[in-house]
Amino acid sequence: MEKVTGYIDNFIFQNQENGYCVLTLATEDGEQTCVGILQGVFEGMHVEFLGSYTEHPSYGRQFKVESYEEKEPEDEFAIERYLGSGAVKGVGAALAARIVRRFGAETFRIIEEEPERLAEIRGISERKAQEIAAQVEEKKEMRQAMIFLQQYGISLALAVKVYQAYGAAVYTIIRENPYRLADDIQGVGFKIADEIAARAGICADSDFRIRSGILYALQQAGGEGHTYLPREELIVRVSELLGVDVNLIEKHFMDLAVSRRIVIKQLEEDIQVYASSYYNMEHNVAALLQQLNVCQNVLQFHLEERIAAIEKHANVVLDELQRKAVCEAAGNGLLIITGGPGTGKTTTINSVIRLYEMEGLDFMLAAPTGRAAKRMSETTGYEARTIHRMLELNGGVEGNAGFERNESNPLETDAVIIDEMSMVDITLMNALLKAIAPSTRLILVGDINQLPSVGPGSVLKDMIDSGAYPVVRLTKIFRQASQSDIIVNAHKINRGEPVKLDNQSQDFFFLKRYDADKIINVVLQLVIQKMPKYVDAHMYDIQVLTPMRKGLLGVDRLNTVLQQYLNPPSQSKAEKERGEMIFREGDKVMQIKNNYQIEWEIKNRYGIAVERGMGIFNGDMGVIRSIREITELMTVEFDEGRMVEYPFKLLEELELAYAVTIHKSQGSEYPAVVLPLLSGPKMLMNRNLLYTAVTRAKKCVTIVGDERTFADMAANISEQKRYSGLKDRIRELEESMKEGMQL
């Protein structure tokens, strides 16, 4: 670690949001360019920077600051420079000169101990004297707090947030209960709070730590797709997380329940422990679904006439189940339509739309992802939006989704049709239902055999399993679809029937390879040379899917190799390293978490923004268009030309996407899919996963790997257990309604 000392001369660049600065430091050896996260610094400030020298390809030698300490101005000139720099509001260069001429080297002592004496100077009233003293003291307190927080491993950027939240109370909080930071401050999770607590000497079995650990374990479970954990499993997880005896944990459940941080539900032998937010969402969703689930009287002969007109208009003949779906859509406030690929879901949706048009009803179409919404628009001929855009996302507060459309401002429509419902998690379902007026019809369409949502909950499955709502299951594979081996084999996989791997197909191929490196070589040939020509698509549209993140054929390794061949390094391409990953201009990337507050814009050919909005979501794919080191910004272009500027601190929300996990591919369709396949964990390598991977392809699926692994996956019906209580909440409400009617 090297150090440089001097005066901050001027700022070349300053990002007010994250504190990143590029500045000139006046030192004894001349001017020095310094960069780093430097909250609370200003022109004229005398500082000592700790860090290291780096060589920027465009801007030359720079000093990268890791930490800093303010040095007291050492002479009268330095004091004058400091006061006149703008650091103290209302004190310019001329006034600073008069103050220093009057008090000399004693200036700072006078300001701190005898501020009333400043009124001796022409131009300073007693009130202004007190204001100057208060500003100097405030800045001093903040800088002292920065130094205090840094000793606990808190970065400068985070330290500013902490100080702004707590002020002078920060010292007490850090020493007594640093776990408060995880609750109160965005960007401080349990792990950071736990590190701070360890440095502060907080005991491993402290009550604060155990309670925070319980909440963190439930939060982590939400990231795995669970809305609750069984009590015993939660205790084991917390014990392993904290390294404390299991007997110390359960006694804290009641305290957290009393303070409404968690909810405990007992169902027969099962004791469910929820983070309160997830329980409230499930309960609310169940209640709102109940409101929508009403029957309406529809004359049968009238319906028959309508269906006949729909068939004539579209030149189709609806099968029995499709006709049933149209009838149910006419007579119910809530309907679920489920079916696999090729079973006529799109035809059914179009028929329902036509029926609503005949009845003079307004309707809205939506899907969970941009790609799914675009596909819905193409197949229906009507505008479909993402659910977030339909609900008019406004960014919310501190990273939580906020929508303009809600219970007090519902959607102005008679019907809402949602496609790809299997992807909708409990959080999004709760927001959607809040925005739907009780008189509005809701049609939910999805494939129950696909993987559950990436986010917490199992909404579609729980709704169907509850038995509380009308459900139409489409099962017939239509003639046109039956000509596609992708669709035929997908259904065979789903039914556990053997699949022919003889490569006699036009759209389903299996290339037998048994060595990971040989498999990767074949994948490269397919993506770069063969598939783009075969399906008439850009090589970036050929998607490599894999079951795992780690391992010889995991996402991490595949992306490293694919990046090297599809977008190799070049002098003309800027790069940014993040951890073990290198981002390069031209890279294909994916957003890996919901960010409701990030802004995007669509520009016309002249570079003028024609549309703006908020929110980029888990699974959205884009291409890196520029990386600018000096401003610490990276521009990514997503679907529909949405341009987003990512500060470098947000790069953790992105990863390379030449290869993605099958889970992350949900709701997307690609011209061609390449699936490298060798053995892996049994719980992961199941039928559900294989089915989802195969159904992502529109024109061609090529599997490269071991046919035994393929057969094992098709035979493995075990699924990773997902703890979701929506079904229980729905049934509880059903029971309470029955009891109410009996009374």
Side-chain angles (χ1 to χ4, degrees):
M1 198 77 82
E2 296 178 269
K3 65 174 70 172
V4 293
T5 304
Y7 297 94
I8 296 173
D9 191 43
N10 73 297
F11 289 93
I12 300 168
F13 172 80
Q14 199 170 16
N15 187 325
Q16 297 296 338
E17 187 181 319
N18 63 11
Y20 179 78
C21 299
V22 181
L23 57 84
T24 304
L25 190 72
T27 72
E28 289 181 356
D29 302 323
E31 290 189 344
Q32 174 69 63
T33 302
C34 302
V35 301
I37 304 290
L38 296 167
Q39 292 274 17
V41 300
F42 42 84
E43 288 182 5
M45 188 172 174
H46 190 211
V47 292
E48 181 180 87
F49 287 156
L50 292 174
S52 57
Y53 286 99
T54 60
E55 196 68 33
H56 192 277
S58 303
Y59 304 104
R61 195 166 189 247
Q62 298 178 337
F63 189 82
K64 190 171 184 180
V65 182
E66 299 295 333
S67 64
Y68 78 90
E69 183 181 339
E70 184 185 11
K71 308 293 278 186
E72 284 287 326
E74 294 168 348
D75 53 35
E76 290 181 19
F77 174 74
I79 295 171
E80 183 180 326
R81 182 171 180 163
Y82 172 86
L83 289 174
S85 68
V88 180
K89 195 175 175 183
V91 179
L95 186 55
R98 291 203 297 274
I99 294 172
V100 176
R101 270 201 308 272
R102 177 74 177 84
F103 299 115
E106 289 277 284
T107 297
F108 274 121
R109 188 193 67 75
I110 296 291
I111 291 173
E112 289 174 10
E113 297 176 10
E114 303 175 76
E116 65 279 358
R117 288 189 60 191
L118 290 174
E120 297 171 12
I121 295 166
R122 181 170 52 84
I124 301 180
S125 64
E126 287 186 12
R127 182 178 174 183
K128 189 166 184 174
Q130 294 298 331
E131 286 174 356
I132 292 170
Q135 285 188 67
V136 171
E137 183 62 28
E138 186 184 346
K139 288 185 178 344
K140 184 180 179 181
E141 281 182 8
M142 183 177 178
R143 288 191 294 276
Q144 286 173 341
M146 299 292 109
I147 294 164
F148 171 76
L149 291 168
Q150 282 180 68
Q151 65 183 326
Y152 293 100
I154 300 172
S155 70
L156 281 171
L158 200 53
V160 171
K161 279 189 175 181
V162 173
Y163 184 75
Q164 286 172 344
Y166 301 129
V170 68
Y171 303 98
T172 305
I173 290 166
I174 293 290
R175 291 184 179 121
E176 292 181 2
N177 180 19
Y179 297 98
R180 271 189 60 184
L181 274 65
D183 297 334
D184 299 340
I185 297 168
Q186 184 75 11
V188 180
F190 172 79
K191 291 287 187 185
I192 293 175
D194 205 37
E195 286 175 17
I196 296 167
R199 294 189 186 203
I202 305 290
C203 296
D205 61 354
S206 83
D207 292 350
F208 293 133
R209 184 168 186 256
I210 293 173
R211 287 172 200 158
S212 190
I214 292 168
L215 295 172
Y216 178 70
L218 289 172
Q219 180 192 329
Q220 290 297 101
E224 296 164 23
H226 309 300
T227 57
Y228 74 89
L229 285 176
R231 182 185 63 182
E232 296 308 315
E233 184 169 333
L234 176 58
I235 289 171
V236 169
R237 285 194 181 203
V238 175
S239 175
E240 289 174 354
L241 170 72
L242 304 180
V244 299
D245 193 279
V246 293
N247 297 316
L248 296 173
I249 297 166
E250 192 173 359
K251 67 181 183 182
H252 294 283
F253 286 177
M254 195 50 66
D255 289 338
L256 287 168
V258 169
S259 62
R260 299 187 178 179
R261 305 293 302 278
I262 67 170
V263 174
I264 303 168
K265 293 289 293 184
Q266 182 150 4
L267 279 88
E268 299 172 359
E269 299 299 310
D270 188 20
I271 298 176
Q272 304 170 341
V273 185
Y274 282 87
S276 294
S277 57
Y278 287 141
Y279 176 81
N280 294 336
M281 282 185 219
E282 283 190 350
H283 187 274
N284 196 50
V285 165
L288 292 171
L289 285 171
Q290 193 178 64
Q291 285 184 17
L292 294 175
N293 190 28
V294 293
C295 296
Q296 299 173 8
N297 292 322
V298 181
L299 296 172
Q300 192 61 35
F301 75 86
H302 177 74
L303 260 179
E304 292 295 335
E305 285 178 2
R306 292 292 200 219
I307 290 170
I310 290 165
E311 289 178 323
K312 185 178 178 181
H313 179 266
N315 194 25
V316 297
V317 177
L318 301 178
D319 82 334
E320 185 183 343
L321 289 169
Q322 288 176 315
R323 292 172 72 90
K324 182 184 178 188
V326 176
C327 292
E328 295 282 4
N332 290 287
L334 176 63
L335 172 66
I336 299 168
I337 302 170
T338 183
T343 57
K345 292 195 297 294
T346 297
T347 301
T348 307
I349 291 173
N350 286 335
S351 299
V352 171
I353 288 171
R354 186 65 184 149
L355 175 73
Y356 287 163
E357 281 185 322
M358 289 175 168
E359 299 294 334
L361 300 176
D362 293 326
F363 55 85
M364 289 182 174
L365 310 180
T369 67
R371 288 183 172 226
K374 187 179 178 184
R375 193 167 67 248
M376 196 181 189
S377 293
E378 292 166 352
T379 56
T380 63
Y382 294 89
E383 183 194 11
R385 293 171 286 178
T386 63
I387 298 172
H388 291 91
R389 289 184 78 175
M390 181 177 72
L391 300 180
E392 299 173 22
L393 179 70
N394 62 18
V397 179
E398 290 293 315
N400 297 312
F403 298 101
E404 295 293 332
R405 296 292 180 175
N406 48 43
E407 54 268 69
S408 55
N409 183 29
L411 295 166
E412 294 166 13
T413 188
D414 299 309
V416 175
I417 302 175
I418 305 291
D419 199 9
E420 293 288 355
M421 218 7 244
S422 62
M423 294 185 66
V424 176
D425 62 22
I426 193 67
T427 306
L428 188 54
M429 190 64 174
N430 186 46
L432 172 67
L433 292 175
K434 282 182 183 178
I436 295 178
S439 58
T440 305
R441 304 176 194 217
L442 179 61
I443 312 294
L444 306 175
V445 185
D447 184 350
I448 191 62
N449 293 309
Q450 280 191 35
L451 293 166
S453 58
V454 175
S458 189
V459 174
L460 183 64
K461 187 174 185 299
D462 277 6
M463 286 180 67
I464 292 172
D465 289 351
S466 73
Y469 314 114
V471 179
V472 178
R473 299 174 189 266
L474 303 176
T475 54
K476 180 183 175 181
I477 302 175
F478 286 85
R479 185 176 61 81
Q480 190 176 354
S482 67
Q483 296 169 359
S484 163
D485 285 319
I486 294 173
I487 289 172
V488 170
N489 289 338
H491 284 277
K492 283 182 176 178
I493 291 166
N494 194 40
R495 293 193 295 266
E497 298 171 3
V499 175
K500 286 184 181 178
L501 305 177
D502 56 7
N503 291 332
Q504 298 299 304
S505 169
Q506 296 296 306
D507 61 4
F508 191 97
F509 304 99
F510 198 105
L511 307 179
K512 296 176 184 178
R513 302 290 189 277
Y514 307 100
D515 176 79
D517 291 338
K518 289 178 181 176
I519 289 172
I520 289 175
N521 283 332
V522 173
V523 168
L524 285 168
Q525 289 176 36
L526 289 166
V527 173
I528 298 170
Q529 297 169 8
K530 296 183 178 180
M531 280 297 111
K533 293 176 185 174
Y534 191 74
V535 298
D536 189 24
H538 189 276
M539 64 180 180
Y540 275 21
D541 294 326
I542 314 303
Q543 190 58 56
V544 179
L545 301 181
T546 179
M548 295 166 292
R549 293 204 59 83
K550 304 296 180 184
L552 294 173
L553 293 178
V555 163
D556 295 344
R557 187 182 184 216
L558 284 169
N559 271 320
T560 302
V561 176
L562 286 161
Q563 182 192 41
Q564 190 66 26
Y565 285 91
L566 272 67
N567 189 33
S570 161
Q571 288 289 327
S572 63
K573 297 175 184 173
E575 295 182 353
K576 172 63 184 173
E577 191 173 339
R578 189 190 70 80
E580 296 180 2
M581 193 182 303
I582 293 172
F583 291 117
R584 186 174 297 133
E585 289 176 349
D587 272 337
K588 180 180 175 182
V589 291
M590 175 184 275
Q591 177 80 8
I592 58 170
K593 64 180 287 190
N594 289 337
N595 186 328
Y596 302 105
Q597 294 187 302
I598 199 162
E599 295 181 3
W600 55 260
E601 59 183 23
I602 299 172
K603 295 181 179 178
N604 62 16
R605 55 196 272 189
Y606 305 107
I608 300 168
V610 293
E611 188 179 351
R612 289 187 172 90
M614 299 189 77
I616 298 292
F617 308 109
N618 193 347
D620 284 356
M621 280 193 181
V623 176
I624 298 173
R625 295 304 182 199
S626 70
I627 297 173
R628 304 182 300 285
E629 192 76 37
I630 191 72
T631 57
E632 294 216 326
L633 290 171
M634 186 165 89
T635 303
V636 179
E637 182 178 357
F638 289 93
D639 290 341
E640 301 170 333
R642 291 175 298 155
M643 308 296 285
V644 177
E645 289 204 333
Y646 284 83
F648 282 1
K649 67 173 184 176
L650 286 185
L651 295 190
E652 64 187 21
E653 296 186 3
L654 291 170
E655 63 181 29
L656 296 175
Y658 300 103
V660 302
T661 63
I662 297 166
H663 279 89
K664 289 287 188 183
S665 72
Q666 286 173 260
S668 294
E669 250 187 10
Y670 313 99
V673 163
V674 178
L675 179 63
L677 214 55
L678 283 178
S679 60
K682 185 174 171 62
M683 281 305 292
L684 193 62
M685 309 291 280
N686 58 35
R687 181 185 296 176
N688 202 213
L689 201 74
L690 185 60
Y691 173 83
T692 300
V694 169
T695 54
R696 298 308 89 208
K698 285 194 286 190
K699 296 180 181 178
C700 184
V701 171
T702 306
I703 302 170
V704 189
D706 191 335
E707 71 275 20
R708 291 164 299 186
T709 301
F710 179 90
D712 289 345
M713 285 182 77
N716 181 13
I717 58 171
S718 66
E719 294 178 26
Q720 286 180 295
K721 175 68 178 170
R722 176 166 286 209
Y723 298 113
S724 170
L726 179 59
K727 179 176 70 176
D728 299 322
R729 304 292 82 77
I730 292 168
R731 287 177 173 172
E732 283 171 359
L733 275 177
E734 289 278 300
E735 288 298 317
S736 65
M737 275 195 69
K738 286 176 184 174
E739 289 173 9
M741 290 173 70
Q742 289 171 358
L743 291 173

